[in-house]
């Protein structure tokens, strides 16, 4: 049986007018991706500022996906502004002229997406403007309503439209339902970008998911499989039955493995070599918490958390890099960090250290992997409705759920969709980054 996330009773009740009349604001029901769903649920506005040159590529991508360009009025499902040419405060004012009416027209679960320039080193005003777009988008994320999101893609001049496409699709589609207020850099691709069927962008890829027996890992396995990947599901022997069910359901193989064991990297690599011949996507998802205030933190709690959450990832990555042939062309490594690793959390010095460590590891490994056409990124989930969060005391759970722009917890599938985007061969220009899947949590922003 699949993990059933906690019910969000307040959100369900808030759909009723009577409850709204009592002063409870309506908590939006987010549009989430389903196979066959259109990229956007209505027409899109596309605009540009300065000499950006990406607006036509955006229009072509939208037309290809069957999305009509919006007319003078009516609601819009998406608004994309190419501000990569913005250099001056006047350009910023032009951006505002596009965005103000666009935000007013944005439909529920609409998408506001800005494309911004890389900050110029030799032009102070242009550097200020590039950074200003971040402030603008992060604020817009807090203002847009009814499940809409606002995000910024900082696009390098040599990125190219092909390398941008998979990222544009992710941020425009319902796959990014719980991602808002984010700034993602799209650079020149680390390798060739081959066109893929957007409905099955992971077709033919072999993906390892650790901690795949339940929770977020289980959703990642299901989602990557839905998008075409063959899954290698890894979890501890004690979770063997659940693991076998996930592997059977996803047509893949199961590997019972404690990833902290000294021989875990060797056993994982041997399994991949013997059963699959290579690996294209590695998802470091397994993680544990052993909370205690620092004043009471013992070595066992500290070491257990660091071993699962960080040491195992370092060891497996080291082994993968040392093996010349196993990482496929256009390999993608995705590491699950946490908002705690960014903002810190009371009682979680061990967990936050491990999750911040993951971010440090990702940044250091990105240049090493780029030479092999591979990328590595971290995803930092915020409050996600899982068995883990269901065990929280009611008041803590309610507080955790509501302190983000979308006023609800995310679902395991929201993290999984982000993994699916970063796992694509086509996402070759995004590396060394941390993407938060947290509904724009107010903490650590
Ligand atoms: P979970 O406890 O439901 O699942 C974790 C899985 O990892 C389990 O199946 C477990 O058996 C497996 N695992 C643990 N130790 C292992 C080991 N030594 N070897 C192999 N497998 C092992 O947790 P979850 O909520 O699904 O979290 C998944 C990841 O997301 C973790 O890294 C967690 O830190 C992170 N995360 C979760 C949340 C949230 O709100 N749930 C928020 C931020 C980050």
């Amino acid at each position: 049986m699949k993990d059933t996330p906690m019910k969000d009773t307040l959100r369900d009740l808030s759909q009723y007018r009577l409850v709204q009349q009592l002063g409870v604001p309506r908590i939006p029901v987010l549009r989430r991706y389903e196979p066959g769903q259109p990229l956007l649920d209505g027409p899109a506005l596309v605009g540009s500022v300065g000499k950006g040159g990406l607006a036509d590529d955006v229009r072509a991508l939208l037309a290809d996906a069957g999305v009509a360009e919006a007319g003078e009025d009516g609601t819009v499902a998406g608004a994309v502004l190419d501000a990569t040419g913005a250099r001056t405060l006047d350009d910023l004012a032009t951006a505002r002229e596009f965005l103000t009416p666009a935000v007013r027209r944005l439909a529920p679960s609409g998408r506001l997406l800005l494309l911004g320039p890389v900050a110029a080193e030799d032009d102070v005003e242009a550097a200020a403007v590039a950074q200003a777009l971040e402030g603008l988008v992060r604020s817009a994320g807090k203002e847009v309503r009814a499940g809409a999101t606002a995000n910024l893609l900082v696009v390098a001049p040599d990125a190219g439209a092909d390398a941008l496409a998979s990222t544009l699709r992710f941020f425009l589609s319902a796959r990014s339902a719980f991602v808002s207020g984010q700034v993602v850099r799209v650079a020149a691709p680390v390798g060739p970008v081959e066109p893929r069927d957007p409905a099955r962008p992971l077709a033919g890829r072999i993906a390892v998911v650790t901690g795949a027996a339940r929770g977020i890992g289980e959703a990642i396995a299901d989602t990557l499989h839905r998008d075409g990947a063959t899954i290698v599901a890894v979890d501890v022997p004690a979770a063997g039955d659940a693991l076998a069910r996930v592997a059977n359901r996803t047509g893949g193989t199961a590997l019972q493995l404690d990833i902290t064991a000294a021989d875990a990297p060797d056993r994982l690599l041997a399994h991949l070599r013997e059963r699959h011949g290579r690996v294209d996507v590695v998802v470091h998802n397994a993680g544990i918490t052993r909370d205690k205030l620092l004043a009471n933190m013992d070595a066992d709690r500290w070491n257990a958390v660091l071993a699962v959450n960080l040491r195992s990832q370092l060891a497996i990555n080291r082994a993968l890099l040392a093996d010349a042939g196993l990482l496929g062309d256009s390999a993608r490594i995705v590491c699950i960090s946490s908002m705690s690793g960014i903002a810190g959390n009371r009682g979680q010095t061990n967990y936050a250290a491990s999750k911040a460590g993951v971010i440090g590891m990702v940044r250091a490994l990105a240049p090493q992997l780029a030479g092999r056409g591979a990328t590595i990124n971290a995803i930092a989930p915020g409050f996600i409705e899982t068995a883990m969060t269901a065990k929280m005391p009611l008041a803590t759970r309610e507080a955790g759920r509501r302190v983000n722009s979308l006023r609800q917890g995310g679902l395991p599938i929201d993290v999984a969709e982000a993994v699916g985007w970063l796992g694509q061969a086509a996402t070759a220009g995004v590396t060394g980054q941390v993407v938060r899947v947290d509904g724009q949590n107010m903490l650590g922003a």
Side-chain angles (χ1 to χ4, degrees), residues 278-300:
R278 61 165 211 285
V279 62
D280 303 304
V281 185
V282 179
V283 188
H284 291 294
N285 162 77
I288 59 168
T289 52
R290 295 285 183 274
D291 295 1
K292 217 41 161 178
L293 293 177
L294 181 57
N296 304 320
M297 181 69 68
D298 53 84
D300 285 352

Side-chain angles (χ1 to χ4, degrees), residues 32 178 383-386 404 408-414 437:
R32 287 196 166 83
F178 202 57
F383 185 99
I384 305 294
E385 305 278 0
T386 61
N404 64 66
Q408 58 194 288
L411 299 181
I413 184 108
D414 298 327
V437 178

Side-chain angles (χ1 to χ4, degrees), residues 341-403:
I342 296 171
N345 201 13
R346 188 181 146 83
Q348 291 199 320
T349 50
N350 51 356
Y351 184 75
S354 72
K355 294 297 188 179
V358 165
I359 294 172
M361 174 190 72
V362 160
R363 289 187 178 138
L365 274 178
Q368 292 186 35
L369 284 159
R372 303 164 68 142
T375 67
I376 181 165
N377 292 286
I379 292 176
F383 185 99
I384 305 294
E385 305 278 0
T386 61
M388 187 178 95
T389 46
K391 285 197 200 98
M392 288 178 168
L394 178 71
T396 317
R397 188 169 66 236
E398 261 312 292
R401 268 179 181 156
R402 306 294 166 212
V403 288

Side-chain angles (χ1 to χ4, degrees), residues 3 210-220 234-239 242-243 255-261 264 284-290 304 307-309 312-313 335-340 351 354-355 379-389 391-392 410 412 415 437:
D3 246 4
T210 67
R214 67 177 203 194
I216 294 172
E218 183 184 14
I220 294 171
V234 178
D235 212 302
V236 289
L243 186 68
L255 175 63
Q256 294 185 10
L257 181 70
D258 177 346
I259 53 167
T260 65
H284 291 294
N285 162 77
I288 59 168
T289 52
R290 295 285 183 274
V308 179
N309 297 5
S312 71
Q313 294 199 21
C335 309
I336 306 301
S337 174
S338 167
M339 209 189 62
S340 286
Y351 184 75
S354 72
K355 294 297 188 179
I379 292 176
F383 185 99
I384 305 294
E385 305 278 0
T386 61
M388 187 178 95
T389 46
K391 285 197 200 98
M392 288 178 168
V415 179
V437 178

